[in-house]
Amino acid sequence: MPGSSERFLEKAPTVSADMTFLDLEDSVAPLEKEAARDKVVNAIKNLDWGDRVMCVRVNAWDTRWTYGDVITVVSNAGERLDEIMLPKVQSAAEVVALDLLLTQIEANCGLPIGHIGIEAQIETTRGLINVEEICAASPRMETIIFGPADFAASMEMPVLTGGVQIPEYPGDHFHYVFSKILMAGRANGLQVIDGPFLKVREPDSFRDYCNRTRTLGYDGKWALHPDQVTILNEVFSPTQEQFDTAFAILDAYRKATEEDRKGAVMFGDEMIDEASRKMAVKFVTRGERAGLKPSAK
Ligand code: GLV
Ligand code: MG
């Protein structure tokens, strides 16, 4: 949500997203940057955000606004704030710089040290080259995000819209990027999120795009519009059938290992073992977060 728009800020809590970020970066005009800080602080403090994850995207370190954004927002709204999102991260040092600044602000404001987490956006070629070090740069790192619009610009791809398919390319032009970011994130225990899809009036293409990163293993994707949130919640949550099957696998595997002392057993026509348990646990935790309950047998 653009941090300069009171109208959007007031609407944000009504959208059923798991996480909301209030933006001080690219959706805010340069002349509004400083004024937007107070609007964001007021929104965080005075609106009811429920239990969602609250985040503010500050400006990148290659601008003159970053430190002012972080100090104003965290000093004044740090209690309800969960994370700072750092855009256009190029190197691990940029994450370390934010970590150090956050530690000083937390100490001055009486917040527990480490209270504020970091989400980093990979959206430049240098950022992608350094993504492994970036993911490992600080214990505050919670999430790594792909930013397709800035990334396309950084690569000088001949496109004018961010985050959409390029029909002229025989394959997915971002496949390598998606996989590299996902691996770096997972290797460091982070959540991995895909960025925006800018054609907000094209729900079918949006769904296709969500399925693409969901299939690879991504945890979620950004929404720029409430209609996109509905599609995201659907695509990134397991179906009732997947949820029930995952439960049944866990049951069968528990019985096999604990009662029959076997590490591998048949589950219908399929052999299951410890790796199957790991896959099933993911479906169960995601399903529970989405409010699913096991069907009555
Ligand atoms: C998001 O910030 C993007 O550049 O895609
Ligand atoms: Mg961007």
Side-chain angles (χ1 to χ4, degrees):
M1 290 288 174
S4 51
S5 162
E6 267 142 356
R7 187 171 71 84
F8 278 125
L9 289 173
E10 266 166 37
K11 184 155 174 55
T14 67
V15 178
S16 70
D18 298 311
M19 175 267 198
T20 297
F21 81 84
L22 309 181
D23 192 21
L24 295 174
E25 203 222 12
D26 281 359
S27 69
V28 174
L31 294 175
E32 288 294 320
K33 293 280 188 199
E34 268 117 18
R37 291 174 184 154
D38 289 339
K39 292 183 186 170
V40 162
V41 165
N42 285 337
I44 295 172
K45 286 170 71 173
N46 300 325
L47 301 176
D48 179 4
W49 299 97
D51 69 350
R52 79 186 61 209
V53 175
M54 280 309 291
C55 178
V56 171
R57 179 166 74 168
V58 296
N59 287 281
W61 279 122
D62 64 354
T63 69
R64 62 196 157 86
W65 296 296
T66 322
Y67 79 96
D69 290 347
V70 178
I71 292 170
T72 306
V73 169
V74 179
S75 313
N76 295 298
E79 243 170 87
R80 177 59 186 88
L81 191 66
D82 298 297
E83 301 166 332
I84 290 288
M85 186 188 297
L86 190 61
K88 300 182 182 64
V89 177
Q90 308 256 34
S91 67
E94 296 190 6
V95 174
V96 174
L98 176 59
D99 180 331
L100 294 171
L101 180 57
L102 286 169
T103 301
Q104 293 201 349
I105 303 170
E106 286 166 346
N108 275 310
C109 297
L111 293 168
I113 302 300
H115 172 71
I116 305 282
I118 298 178
E119 302 215 355
Q121 279 188 281
I122 298 299
E123 40 185 0
T124 63
T125 48
R126 184 145 302 283
L128 188 69
I129 288 168
N130 292 328
V131 65
E132 290 165 29
E133 290 79 18
I134 290 169
C135 286
S138 156
R140 292 183 192 267
M141 277 292 295
E142 292 182 9
T143 307
I144 192 82
I145 307 162
F146 176 48
D150 271 305
F151 191 78
S154 171
M155 288 282 278
E156 301 186 26
M157 285 176 170
V159 288
L160 288 171
T161 307
V164 300
Q165 189 59 2
I166 300 180
E168 294 78 17
Y169 187 76
D172 185 339
H173 62 300
F174 282 150
H175 179 72
Y176 169 74
V177 183
F178 284 146
S179 299
K180 186 168 162 108
I181 294 175
L182 179 62
M183 282 191 268
R186 289 288 182 247
N188 288 283
L190 306 185
Q191 293 199 69
V192 185
I193 301 287
D194 185 18
F197 179 87
L198 286 102
K199 296 205 167 180
V200 292
R201 298 210 168 81
E202 290 190 12
D204 293 341
S205 322
F206 179 66
R207 186 184 301 273
D208 274 0
Y209 236 78
C210 293
N211 275 318
R212 193 166 311 194
T213 41
R214 173 75 193 102
T215 305
L216 284 176
Y218 274 59
D219 294 299
K221 182 169 170 65
W222 283 11
L224 302 178
H225 187 278
D227 293 348
Q228 291 188 331
V229 177
T230 312
I231 297 172
L232 281 172
N233 282 336
E234 201 187 300
V235 174
F236 282 90
S237 308
T239 60
Q240 185 68 47
E241 196 187 335
Q242 289 169 327
F243 187 69
D244 289 341
T245 307
F247 251 96
I249 290 174
L250 292 182
D251 248 13
Y253 183 70
R254 190 199 47 75
K255 183 173 174 305
T257 49
E258 290 175 17
E259 294 175 23
D260 308 335
R261 294 176 169 243
K262 286 185 188 155
V265 282
M266 290 305 284
F267 176 78
D269 290 339
E270 204 182 310
M271 194 209 76
I272 57 167
D273 66 3
E274 172 60 20
S276 319
R277 186 195 63 80
K278 289 197 178 103
M279 291 188 276
V281 163
K282 285 283 166 200
F283 277 90
V284 170
T285 44
R286 277 169 190 278
E288 283 173 348
R289 180 73 183 90
L292 292 181
K293 301 258 181 310
S295 306
K297 287 191 190 129

